[in-house]
Amino acid sequence: MSWDPVYGFVKKIPRGKVLTYGALAKAINLPGGARAAGRAMAATPKGRAIPWHRVVGAGGRLLIREPYASLQKKLLATEGVKLIESRVNLRICAWRSEERRVGK
């Protein structure tokens, strides 16, 4: 299976905003849901400018293990995303664009 539709959609997430794995899966009708979205993000190829760090777990939790967890925190912080104990405030930082849905 090609993850290109996932990566194309993730590229649309604006700086300073995040999307959960579940919301990503739902937005693109990804078979397998949030787990499949997680697998796609884990397989993100280098050098394609895919902002993998903007995809987080339910409730805004950062689920990636070290050393990538520290990198994800650093990248989000450079975009102005505030973290409290490895959690993003989704009320402030969740991407809620109407353009988020495929086909709109």
Side-chain angles (χ1 to χ4, degrees), residues 1-13 24 28 30 36-46 48-52 55:
M1 174 179 190
S2 171
W3 295 121
D4 288 341
V6 176
Y7 301 143
F9 192 77
V10 170
K11 284 183 175 183
K12 295 178 183 179
I13 304 170
L24 170 59
I28 63 171
L30 184 64
R39 284 192 298 278
M41 292 294 88
T44 301
K46 293 181 182 181
R48 289 186 46 195
I50 299 165
W52 59 269
V55 183

Side-chain angles (χ1 to χ4, degrees), residues 20-26 30-40 58:
T20 65
Y21 294 105
L24 170 59
K26 185 175 180 180
L30 184 64
R35 288 180 189 259
R39 284 192 298 278

Side-chain angles (χ1 to χ4, degrees), residues 60-74:
R61 291 179 304 164
L62 302 188
L63 302 176
I64 300 171
R65 293 193 175 117
E66 293 296 345
Y68 300 105
S70 294
L71 178 58
Q72 185 178 28
K73 288 177 187 179
K74 181 180 175 181

